[in-house]
Amino acid sequence: MIIRLAREQDVPCFIELARQVEHWFGPMLGDPGFRDAVDKHVRRAAALVAVAA
């Protein structure tokens, strides 16, 4: 597994992950601030993803 900085093309995966865990962590996708935070952290190189090697 490789950990790397998230890129713009990774954002849909963050959104899908949020959809899958909302029942545990509460609503995220309906909160406009959630998408803004994801976009901001990706742009600032402050979001990481794990990808198969």
Side-chain angles (χ1 to χ4, degrees):
M1 186 163 300
I2 297 170
I3 307 299
R4 63 166 172 77
L5 292 174
R7 303 176 191 136
E8 274 301 313
Q9 61 263 34
D10 297 314
V11 171
C13 295
F14 281 113
I15 301 304
E16 175 58 20
L17 178 60
R19 186 191 66 72
Q20 291 178 23
V21 300
E22 278 189 316
H23 62 281
W24 291 318
F25 296 103
M28 291 176 264
L29 300 179
D31 178 355
F34 174 76
R35 178 60 190 259
D36 292 342
V38 170
D39 290 337
K40 178 175 92 175
H41 284 82
V42 170
R43 277 193 318 273
R44 291 184 177 180
L48 301 173
V49 294
V51 294

